[in-house]
Amino acid sequence: MKISKFVQIIKETRQCIVFHASDEIYLSTGHSIYKASEFPDITGASQIAAVLDIEPKKLKKIRIDEERCQNRENISGYDLSEGIIDGEMEISKLETAAVVDGNIYTAFRCENNELIFFDEQLLAPLKDRIKDEEAYLNYTVRTHPEGHKYIVVKDGFEVLAAILPVKVLSKKYIEKLRMFCVQCIEQYKWEQCGQEQENEEQ
C-alpha cells in the first residue's frame, strides 16, 4: 500500500479511520477501505499520525477515528474476506467514463446490467500493486447489509480494498449527455461528408 497516496486522499476528505480487525489493520478514507498488512497495530491519534507522517498543522484538519472489528468479514459492515462470497457479482470496465464538473468517474457494468461509477483516484494507494506485472487485478461488487453496493479490488483472491460507488446520474446530466451525443453524431456526419468530397476530388 502506498501510504503517501493514502495521506493525500485523507487530507482532502479530512477523515481517517483505522480498523483493528483481529491481527490485521485496515485504513479508511471514509469513501474507501484499504488492507494495510504491512502496518503494526497502531493506536491513538498521535501514533497514527506519526506512522502516516502527517504534519501537526495538517493533523488539526483531519478527524482520526478507530474501530474494533472481530474479523475481515465485517469491517463496519463491509466484507473484505478473501475469495468469492454469496451474492458477489463480477463487473466489467467500460471504455466510456463519466465526467462531472471536471472529475472523471470510471464506469463498470455488473452481471445484472446495472452500472456503477467510482472515482479511480481512490486506487492511488494501490498503485504499486496495480503496476506489478505479476498481479492479477480484478474487480467485483458486494452488497452491504444496509443494501448499498461497494466495489471490491482484488489481486487474485486477495482483497486489497473496498471502494464506495459515486452517484453520477441525474436528469440534468442525462440531458447534457443526450445533447452531446447528438452533437457528436452531427459532427461525425459532417466529417464523413467532407471525406467523401475529398475522395471524389481525387
Side-chain angles (χ1 to χ4, degrees), residues 64-118:
I64 297 179
D65 295 313
E66 294 181 73
E67 290 187 27
R68 296 282 174 181
C69 309
Q70 289 186 345
N71 48 51
R72 68 180 70 166
E73 284 78 18
N74 185 4
I75 308 293
S76 193
Y78 297 94
D79 190 340
L80 273 69
S81 59
E82 297 182 353
I84 300 173
I85 67 171
D86 291 340
E88 185 170 345
M89 289 190 294
E90 292 186 1
I91 55 178
S92 54
K93 186 177 179 180
L94 301 183
E95 293 183 1
T96 305
V99 180
V100 181
D101 297 328
N103 298 312
I104 301 174
Y105 300 107
T106 301
F108 283 105
R109 182 183 295 278
C110 302
E111 289 178 358
N112 62 358
N113 291 326
E114 181 180 357
L115 289 182
I116 288 183
F117 301 88
F118 89 107

Side-chain angles (χ1 to χ4, degrees), residues 8-56:
Q8 284 180 9
I9 297 173
I10 62 174
K11 284 180 179 178
E12 294 176 4
T13 64
R14 298 189 176 186
Q15 183 179 16
C16 173
I17 307 171
V18 177
F19 292 104
H20 304 270
S22 184
D23 59 346
E24 296 180 306
I25 294 291
Y26 289 83
L27 300 177
S28 173
T29 66
H31 303 290
S32 50
I33 303 172
Y34 308 93
K35 181 180 179 181
S37 54
E38 67 274 24
F39 265 64
D41 189 13
I42 51 177
T43 58
S46 59
Q47 188 180 42
I48 293 169
V51 172
L52 295 178
D53 195 23
I54 303 175
E55 54 272 31

